[in-house]
Amino acid sequence: MARIVMKFGGTSVANLERIRHVASLVAEEAKEGNEVAVVVSAMSGETNRLVALVDALDADSNQGTAIEDEYDSIVASGEQVTSGLLAIALRRRGLRARSWLGWQIPLRTDMAHSKARIAEIESSAIGPSMKAGNIAVVAGFQGVNEEGRISTLGRGGSDTSAVALAVALKADRCDIYTDVDGIYTTDPRIAKDARRLNRIAFEEMLELASLGAKVLQTRSVELAMNNNLPIRVLTSMAEVGDPNPGTLVCHEDETMEERVVSGVAYSRDESQITLLRLKDKPGMVAKVCKAMADANVIVDMIVQGISKSDSAANLTFTVGKRDLDKALAALEAAKQSIGFEAVKSDSDVTKVSVVGIGMRSHTGVAQTMFEALAERNINVKVIATSEIKISVLIDAEYTELAVRALHSAFELDKAAPPKVSAP
Amino acid sequence: MARIVMKFGGTSVANLERIRHVASLVAEEAKEGNEVAVVVSAMSGETNRLVALVDALDADSNQGTAIEDEYDSIVASGEQVTSGLLAIALRRRGLRARSWLGWQIPLRTDMAHSKARIAEIESSAIGPSMKAGNIAVVAGFQGVNEEGRISTLGRGGSDTSAVALAVALKADRCDIYTDVDGIYTTDPRIAKDARRLNRIAFEEMLELASLGAKVLQTRSVELAMNNNLPIRVLTSMAEVGDPNPGTLVCHEDETMEERVVSGVAYSRDESQITLLRLKDKPGMVAKVCKAMADANVIVDMIVQGISKSDSAANLTFTVGKRDLDKALAALEAAKQSIGFEAVKSDSDVTKVSVVGIGMRSHTGVAQTMFEALAERNINVKVIATSEIKISVLIDAEYTELAVRALHSAFELDKAAPPKVSAP
């Protein structure tokens, strides 16, 4: 007997038919004698409907007034409905189940409405209820703050709810059901020979999650890693009894395959900014970064080029696409204090990355990568590296070509030799 | 400066345009220096949408299992959304406002899910918040029970929320905004010369509410009467500044008009049951009533007729239309123990009533009523009276004719002489 947390996203509970199907998957785990908590998102489309109501009102005057507290109370109703419906569907299958809202557990958060962070999850009520044989159906994405108001964790927050709940409940495993059947070596829409990975290390998943692979929310992976909680990503579309191994996200020494690179990720949400003829003196990059931080813009890749003049340089960096206008305005305002001659920007770029914990102990990854790109005449504009990834910024039109070239160069279409035997 | 509670039903908050309009009405009261709490229902159609989701799941097997706790949690989300939206709309007008859910106040109820009764309303948080200048926007219809689960008060429960809140907050007045501009002498769709009453006594309103005039929920009127809280019924469709006097529901000695009968009500939700040749011995009616109570059927009008035989009688009574099948099944099962020969039923009947506290001190009401009906050849099947009302059961096809005849016979189209001057 194990204690497990299962999480179902919006498309998995999109309508009553899907909710009944989820009930059948949950019933299967319960039948095997497991203690089960289920975390659910709002029915797909419901959160958007509620946000649209708020946005329409928000278009009225007095825009400055904060409304995030009410936004949270409104939007959290979506998960409230799904949790109740799934509890009913489970009872209709003869199981004992009850819904838990964020404030009922309570799942306590900080005061940052609409992007709250979990402070603490109380397990003294929900734990005994599960032990007594009740399936706990938990409304994801929501908590309660110290003022007793409903808070939400931000988009994708249900993953974090599920992992945090699993940690609080000392669960053996957290199963994230979604509309894909696992984590792939790259986007199967681009590379037809992309393979589902049986296992992936937390660190790799973290790089992939933050690089644009939208399967798991970054914070949920961090939380699982810090608490050594294995996450399984699998599809909610499989029928009961169908094989549905998914991908296990776990610590490195448990990963199955001996390979250097585990996946190729890409993100189109990039804009490149270049400052021309920047006065080359100490503290110049810091000034640029401060201007961006003050404007609430996150700087990602950053590279300093040599200008033809001795006392000036070019500085290139990337920001998220939707932050570009904000970034340019902030730079214009700080032009004198930073000291540069001109600014150029380009939003027609993509960041492509190879990720793998094997890179820590293997050399030659960069060489393989740049050779593969050079062979296809793909020009690299910016390079950024970390211990387990190499990212390049390229022209957007080469995205698919680059992804396929790298996927093939690292032989990701082929299974690597096993490192440890499967459990 | 007064403290007032304003309540808006589903049609008054049906869409964002109506919610903005409600905000303008609330703003007007706040601008006059009043401390304001607003109780809102779900946007019209929303509760039905949520109930339909539950009903569709409920059609699955294991029908016996109670699901009212989850029903409450699901359905209460409708008011949660409206309260947040109205709080935002008020802030967008430059006012300070925040939403309060049932569990946040808390509004405590008993354990009867889906038809809970209010046990206690805590005013120690909401009261000071209002005093500090915040408009309290309260989700109607919902509370929290001693197990910390969401409970709902049953259909129309938002009226009761509003009145109970007004009592707890020691409000000066509770204004119920609805889609009609007050209480009428009868249904204006039937009698074109129906008049809006300026004032009506609690007792009269109570009879009208329970007789099928759907403007106010019975429990809310009882609660207001017991706590001597004046209720004003007025339309939410009026523009700010338009005259909108509505109808004040208050204690008898404050009522404006000196008249015997205040209104004519009717209810089509009646079924007539007649037990033929019932053995006429002591306790026989009690046996019938017990059979109905055991089947959870409420018996309304009841009359015992004389049969041709000396030792037998006919017993006629009415039940709600949707309880008829249940009632007939229970009677069939108890046929031997009650002791009757046959049962007849008729659902094609209407109950028409005249109501007025003046009947306490005036005679002749019954005579006027039966003469008016006899003149139109309307056959009276059952009669029931209380201190301030006379009800008759008639064939449904005579409904409109009877209502108009009585409205005219008691001169309800004409204003009566004032008893006290208007305030």
Side-chain angles (χ1 to χ4, degrees):
Chain A
M1 197 203 77
R3 178 176 268 195
I4 60 174
V5 173
M6 306 168 77
K7 184 259 167 180
F8 294 90
T11 53
S12 304
V13 292
N15 52 47
L16 294 179
E17 193 197 334
R18 297 314 305 161
I19 289 175
R20 285 194 190 97
H21 179 66
V22 165
S24 74
L25 295 173
V26 173
E28 198 59 19
E29 293 287 0
K31 240 187 280 173
E32 287 176 14
N34 295 315
E35 282 178 23
V36 184
V38 195
V39 176
V40 287
S41 301
M43 296 163 86
S44 73
E46 185 60 10
T47 304
N48 289 341
R49 183 182 76 85
L50 295 166
V51 170
L53 287 173
V54 173
D55 285 349
L57 277 180
D58 210 28
D60 295 358
S61 53
N62 282 297
Q63 286 273 5
T65 322
I67 55 155
E68 281 73 19
D69 52 341
E70 302 300 342
Y71 169 94
D72 281 358
S73 189
I74 293 165
V75 173
S77 70
E79 282 74 16
Q80 180 167 330
V81 170
T82 327
S83 61
L85 291 176
L86 180 56
I88 292 175
L90 287 167
R91 290 190 196 166
R92 288 286 166 263
R93 295 184 72 89
L95 295 161
R96 283 162 60 197
R98 73 152 276 197
S99 66
W100 293 83
L101 304 176
W103 59 271
Q104 289 174 326
I105 297 176
L107 184 155
R108 296 200 181 86
T109 73
D110 63 14
M111 293 297 296
H113 275 294
S114 86
K115 47 181 189 292
R117 293 187 74 99
I118 298 173
E120 187 198 7
I121 298 182
E122 187 68 62
S123 62
S124 61
I126 192 171
S129 171
M130 287 170 67
K131 231 180 192 31
N134 295 295
I135 296 168
V137 185
V138 174
F141 174 67
Q142 61 178 253
V144 61
N145 67 26
E146 59 197 48
E147 285 179 0
R149 300 295 305 273
I150 292 176
S151 49
T152 67
L153 309 179
R155 284 278 169 136
S158 290
D159 284 352
T160 310
S161 296
V163 171
L165 184 69
V167 170
L169 289 172
K170 299 186 173 51
D172 298 286
R173 185 174 91 227
C174 182
D175 288 352
I176 308 274
Y177 285 80
T178 177
D179 48 2
V180 296
D181 67 350
I183 309 293
Y184 274 70
T185 48
T186 194
D187 186 342
R189 288 168 303 182
I190 290 184
K192 295 238 171 338
D193 53 2
R195 277 189 326 111
R196 181 181 54 75
L197 293 161
N198 281 317
R199 296 190 175 211
I200 188 171
F202 285 124
E203 295 87 342
E204 292 172 326
M205 190 65 232
L206 216 43
E207 289 289 358
L208 290 172
S210 61
L211 287 173
K214 294 187 183 82
V215 177
L216 283 181
Q217 210 212 5
T218 309
R219 273 162 62 193
S220 67
V221 182
E222 284 173 350
L223 199 57
M225 181 169 72
N226 294 338
N227 291 280
N228 194 15
L229 174 84
I231 301 180
R232 198 158 59 120
V233 176
L234 64 177
T235 176
S236 68
M237 305 300 158
E239 295 301 320
V240 169
D242 282 358
N244 189 9
T247 298
L248 193 71
V249 189
C250 54
H251 267 305
E252 185 185 345
D253 53 1
E254 299 163 25
T255 56
M256 253 184 84
E257 298 182 3
E258 176 83 77
R259 62 162 71 252
V260 181
V261 167
S262 290
V264 178
Y266 65 95
S267 164
R268 300 187 200 268
D269 179 33
E270 307 287 329
S271 287
Q272 174 187 7
I273 297 175
T274 302
L275 302 182
L276 297 173
R277 297 193 52 78
L278 192 63
K279 286 195 193 99
D280 192 7
K281 45 183 189 189
M284 159 200 91
V285 176
K287 269 187 185 164
V288 173
C289 290
K290 183 176 183 307
M292 293 298 93
D294 289 350
N296 230 343
V297 172
I298 293 170
V299 172
D300 181 15
M301 307 167 89
I302 184 160
V303 67
Q304 186 174 339
I306 313 287
S307 167
K308 273 158 202 162
S309 143
D310 281 347
S311 63
N314 293 341
L315 186 75
T316 298
F317 57 94
T318 64
V319 301
K321 242 176 201 147
R322 62 181 166 188
D323 284 343
L324 179 62
D325 291 346
K326 213 162 46 165
L328 292 177
L331 289 169
E332 203 52 53
K335 192 172 182 179
Q336 291 306 317
S337 71
I338 297 175
F340 59 88
E341 281 186 11
V343 58
K344 284 196 313 183
S345 69
D346 184 0
S347 282
D348 216 15
V349 291
T350 299
K351 179 169 68 172
V352 178
S353 310
V354 298
V355 172
I357 45 171
M359 289 164 67
R360 283 181 186 151
S361 48
H362 286 75
T363 54
V365 172
Q367 188 189 342
T368 306
M369 182 173 191
F370 292 114
E371 278 176 3
L373 295 172
E375 264 171 38
R376 274 86 174 175
N377 285 318
I378 301 171
N379 186 34
V380 172
K381 303 153 81 76
V382 185
I383 302 169
T385 61
S386 81
E387 205 187 7
I388 64 165
K389 76 143 196 247
I390 304 176
S391 298
V392 295
L393 197 71
I394 61 172
D395 278 332
E397 60 181 331
Y398 292 102
T399 307
E400 292 83 358
L401 183 64
V403 168
R404 282 185 215 117
L406 295 173
H407 194 259
S408 160
F410 290 101
E411 299 188 330
L412 291 173
D413 54 321
K414 301 186 185 94
K419 184 167 152 189
V420 294
S421 58
Chain B
M1 199 203 77
R3 179 175 268 192
I4 61 174
V5 172
M6 304 169 79
K7 184 259 167 177
F8 295 89
T11 54
S12 303
V13 292
N15 53 46
L16 294 179
E17 192 195 337
R18 297 315 304 162
I19 289 174
R20 285 194 190 97
H21 179 65
V22 165
S24 73
L25 295 172
V26 174
E28 198 60 17
E29 293 287 0
K31 240 187 278 174
E32 287 176 16
N34 295 317
E35 282 178 23
V36 184
V38 195
V39 176
V40 287
S41 301
M43 294 164 86
S44 73
E46 186 58 12
T47 304
N48 288 341
R49 183 182 75 85
L50 294 166
V51 170
L53 286 173
V54 174
D55 284 349
L57 277 181
D58 211 28
D60 295 357
S61 52
N62 281 299
Q63 287 273 5
T65 322
I67 55 154
E68 281 73 18
D69 51 343
E70 301 300 342
Y71 170 95
D72 281 359
S73 189
I74 292 166
V75 173
S77 70
E79 282 74 16
Q80 180 166 331
V81 170
T82 328
S83 62
L85 291 175
L86 181 56
I88 292 175
L90 288 166
R91 289 191 196 166
R92 288 286 166 260
R93 298 184 70 90
L95 295 162
R96 285 163 57 199
R98 71 152 277 197
S99 65
W100 293 83
L101 304 176
W103 58 271
Q104 290 174 324
I105 297 175
L107 185 155
R108 297 201 181 85
T109 73
D110 64 13
M111 294 297 296
H113 275 294
S114 87
K115 47 179 189 290
R117 293 187 74 99
I118 297 173
E120 186 197 9
I121 298 182
E122 188 68 61
S123 63
S124 61
I126 193 171
S129 171
M130 288 170 67
K131 232 181 192 34
N134 296 295
I135 296 168
V137 185
V138 175
F141 174 67
Q142 60 179 254
V144 60
N145 66 26
E146 60 196 47
E147 286 180 358
R149 302 294 307 271
I150 293 176
S151 50
T152 67
L153 309 178
R155 285 278 168 135
S158 290
D159 284 352
T160 310
S161 295
V163 171
L165 184 68
V167 169
L169 290 172
K170 298 185 174 50
D172 299 286
R173 189 173 87 227
C174 182
D175 288 353
I176 308 274
Y177 286 79
T178 177
D179 48 1
V180 296
D181 67 350
I183 309 293
Y184 275 69
T185 48
T186 194
D187 186 343
R189 290 170 300 183
I190 289 185
K192 295 237 174 330
D193 53 3
R195 280 189 324 110
R196 180 181 54 76
L197 293 162
N198 282 316
R199 297 191 174 212
I200 187 171
F202 285 123
E203 294 86 342
E204 291 173 327
M205 190 65 231
L206 216 44
E207 290 288 358
L208 291 172
S210 62
L211 287 172
K214 295 188 183 83
V215 178
L216 284 180
Q217 209 213 5
T218 310
R219 273 162 61 192
S220 67
V221 181
E222 283 173 351
L223 199 56
M225 180 168 73
N226 293 339
N227 291 280
N228 195 15
L229 173 85
I231 300 179
R232 198 158 59 119
V233 175
L234 65 178
T235 175
S236 68
M237 306 299 159
E239 296 301 321
V240 169
D242 282 358
N244 188 9
T247 298
L248 193 71
V249 189
C250 55
H251 267 306
E252 183 184 349
D253 52 2
E254 299 161 28
T255 57
M256 252 183 82
E257 298 181 3
E258 177 81 79
R259 62 163 69 253
V260 181
V261 167
S262 291
V264 179
Y266 66 95
S267 164
R268 300 189 200 267
D269 178 34
E270 307 286 330
S271 287
Q272 174 186 8
I273 296 175
T274 302
L275 302 181
L276 297 172
R277 297 194 53 77
L278 193 63
K279 284 196 194 99
D280 192 7
K281 44 182 189 188
M284 155 201 95
V285 175
K287 269 188 186 164
V288 173
C289 290
K290 182 174 183 309
M292 293 296 95
D294 289 348
N296 230 344
V297 171
I298 294 170
V299 172
D300 180 17
M301 307 168 89
I302 184 161
V303 66
Q304 187 175 339
I306 312 284
S307 167
K308 273 159 201 161
S309 144
D310 280 347
S311 62
N314 294 340
L315 186 76
T316 298
F317 58 94
T318 65
V319 300
K321 240 173 203 152
R322 64 180 163 187
D323 284 344
L324 179 61
D325 290 347
K326 213 162 48 165
L328 292 176
L331 289 169
E332 201 53 52
K335 191 171 182 179
Q336 291 306 319
S337 70
I338 297 174
F340 58 88
E341 281 187 7
V343 59
K344 283 197 313 183
S345 69
D346 184 0
S347 282
D348 215 16
V349 291
T350 299
K351 178 169 69 172
V352 177
S353 311
V354 297
V355 172
I357 44 170
M359 289 163 67
R360 282 182 187 149
S361 46
H362 286 75
T363 54
V365 173
Q367 188 190 342
T368 305
M369 182 172 191
F370 293 114
E371 278 176 6
L373 296 171
E375 265 171 34
R376 274 84 174 178
N377 285 317
I378 300 170
N379 186 34
V380 171
K381 303 156 81 78
V382 185
I383 302 169
T385 62
S386 80
E387 205 187 9
I388 65 164
K389 75 141 199 250
I390 305 175
S391 299
V392 295
L393 197 72
I394 62 172
D395 278 331
E397 60 180 331
Y398 291 102
T399 306
E400 292 83 358
L401 182 65
V403 168
R404 282 186 214 116
L406 295 173
H407 194 259
S408 160
F410 290 102
E411 299 188 329
L412 291 174
D413 54 323
K414 301 187 185 93
K419 185 167 152 190
V420 294
S421 58

